[in-house]
Structure formats: C-alpha cells, structure tokens
Amino acid sequence: MSTEGTGKYTVEEIEKKVEDIWRSVLQVPEGHERETFFELNGESMAANRLVSRVEGELGIFIEVGDIFEEDPDLAGFVRSVVAKAGDPSRV
C-alpha cells in the first residue's frame, strides 16, 4: 500500500475527489448514485481508469481486483480509498 503524498489532503478532500473520479469514469446518470460498479456497466477498462486516476491524482494505490471482488457502490469505493490512504485524520 502506498500512501505517499496523501498527507496533503483532508478526508473530505479525498472523498470529494474520489466521488468526482467515480462519476467521471463511470458517467453516472442522475439518480443512480447508489448503483454498484457492475450495475453502472463497469468493466475492466473502467476499473483500470478508476485505479489509475486515484493513484495519479491522490497518490493512493488500490487494486483493480478489489473493485471486481467487492463490486462497490460510490460510498463503498470512497470508504475503501480513504482506508487505503492510511491515517484518515492526517492533513
């Protein structure tokens, strides 16, 4: 797990950025915020884009396999990324 660089973000900033990435990559239609990755027609390319953007923009490493195993909704994905960021109270 790499958390290098995450110390410059608050939990709220991480949550907002991850939400923006999720909505952008999966093109979430209005009213579909609670749907899971697969319900939003997520596929391997989208999973790779999610992982790449989270790592590139936040410096938080997540596994593509976690997305396929967990089939998270937005809230679950945000929780997972925040947990992988290390100490969530770090600013």
Side-chain angles (χ1 to χ4, degrees):
M1 169 174 73
S2 171
T3 59
E4 186 174 312
T6 60
K8 62 184 173 182
Y9 300 106
T10 65
V11 171
E12 292 79 17
E13 290 169 331
I14 293 171
E15 290 170 342
K16 176 65 174 132
K17 189 63 175 171
V18 171
E19 179 179 349
D20 291 345
I21 291 169
W22 176 272
R23 289 177 182 279
S24 172
V25 169
L26 294 173
Q27 300 178 358
V28 180
E30 193 67 35
H32 294 262
E33 292 78 12
R34 294 187 180 192
E35 291 187 11
T36 68
F37 178 79
F38 289 121
E39 289 172 336
L40 292 167
N41 298 313
E43 55 187 38
S44 61
M45 293 291 285
N48 282 312
R49 282 195 301 271
L50 284 170
V51 167
S52 293
R53 287 195 53 192
V54 168
E55 186 172 358
E57 295 176 33
L58 294 168
I60 302 168
F61 179 75
I62 56 174
E63 297 281 342
V64 172
D66 292 345
I67 296 171
F68 290 113
E69 288 176 22
E70 297 169 13
D71 186 24
D73 60 5
L74 172 57
F77 186 64
V78 168
R79 279 191 304 273
S80 177
V81 173
V82 168
K84 299 232 181 198
D87 180 5
S89 65
R90 219 170 48 178
V91 179

